[in-house]
Amino acid sequence: MSRKRSLPRPSFWLVVDLEATCDRRGFPRDHMETIEVGAVLVESRKLRPVAEFQTFVRPVVRPWLTPFCTELTSITQADVDAAPVFAEAMARWDDWLCAHTQDGRQAAVLASWGRYDRDQLRKDARRARCPLPSFGTAHVDLKTEFASAAAIKRCGMARALGMVGLPLEGTHHRGIDDARNIAKLLPFALGRSAIPRGR
């Protein structure tokens, strides 16, 4: 299958999904903070998951979760109250990444369903004045890649799973569960498996 864009060829794909503070009525994007990181490390040759990382993160700008946020994500106030702050969570994530790739600095490319997760990580890192884990600067928007491969304008993760005949497993809008589901879509988003037509 031909690709319109040239994609990186890393040793590993680091599939990431974040959950962040939110409210039904909304609040300024600058006030949003990561409250969960879910990551699945996928080896590039066979696109096989080899390790997982999950942590809750304690917010500091708006430390109290709204009822809407808990309803949407199932993440509770107790979960985040007991969690590390962002800088500590990033340090733990970096240790995990380097342990599983031997050299995380260039071995893994960050991939997420859309650009939001990458952008939120960068905003949180600027606010906390801390480095991000050692996955380098490359990022692949799997949502865009999947839509391109499927010849459609846009596609949510749940719809994409249905299009390829895969179930949505776990709890939607939980970081680790969504990361696992997105990892299952890697072969289709990267053009290694054909997307069935007419589903």
Side-chain angles (χ1 to χ4, degrees):
M1 182 181 298
S2 63
R3 304 294 293 171
K4 292 181 180 178
R5 290 175 288 277
S6 177
L7 295 174
R9 296 180 178 270
S11 299
F12 298 93
W13 293 96
L14 183 63
V15 179
V16 174
D17 188 82
L18 306 181
E19 302 305 326
T21 52
C22 56
D23 189 27
R24 190 182 305 276
R25 292 169 294 179
F27 51 73
R29 291 294 293 262
D30 288 346
H31 289 193
M32 293 179 74
E33 298 173 86
T34 297
I35 55 173
E36 185 191 9
V37 174
V40 178
L41 190 67
V42 179
E43 61 85 18
S44 187
R45 192 167 62 89
K46 293 186 177 180
L47 296 181
R48 179 177 55 89
V50 294
E52 294 183 351
F53 176 85
Q54 187 276 341
T55 185
F56 295 117
V57 182
R58 178 158 36 101
V60 295
V61 175
R62 292 185 179 226
W64 295 101
L65 301 185
T66 64
F68 172 77
C69 188
T70 294
E71 179 184 345
L72 178 70
T73 65
S74 79
I75 298 170
T76 67
Q77 190 66 44
D79 290 329
V80 297
D81 284 348
V85 294
F86 185 81
E88 184 182 349
M90 293 302 100
R92 292 182 188 181
W93 190 12
D94 191 51
D95 288 345
W96 170 86
L97 179 61
C98 289
H100 285 88
T101 61
Q102 274 121 34
D103 178 13
R105 298 193 180 280
Q106 298 300 329
V109 166
L110 186 69
S112 60
W113 200 260
R115 297 182 181 90
Y116 164 78
D117 304 85
R118 177 201 63 185
D119 295 345
Q120 186 64 46
L121 281 172
R122 289 176 177 175
K123 283 194 289 188
D124 284 329
R126 285 195 298 270
R127 179 166 40 224
R129 298 180 181 177
C130 72
L132 289 172
S134 306
F135 42 66
T137 58
H139 171 259
V140 172
D141 175 353
L142 297 175
K143 183 176 184 178
T144 297
E145 295 302 325
F146 185 92
S148 176
I152 57 178
K153 287 188 176 181
R154 64 180 67 85
C155 188
M157 182 196 71
R159 180 186 170 203
L161 288 166
M163 287 177 65
V164 299
L166 293 173
L168 192 158
E169 297 179 325
T171 301
H172 197 15
H173 300 301
R174 272 297 311 277
I176 189 59
D177 289 339
D178 283 353
R180 290 168 180 155
N181 283 307
I182 295 165
K184 294 188 299 184
L185 291 167
L186 260 179
F188 304 96
L190 298 180
R192 303 241 203 125
S193 295
I195 298 172
R197 303 299 175 182
R199 288 190 71 103

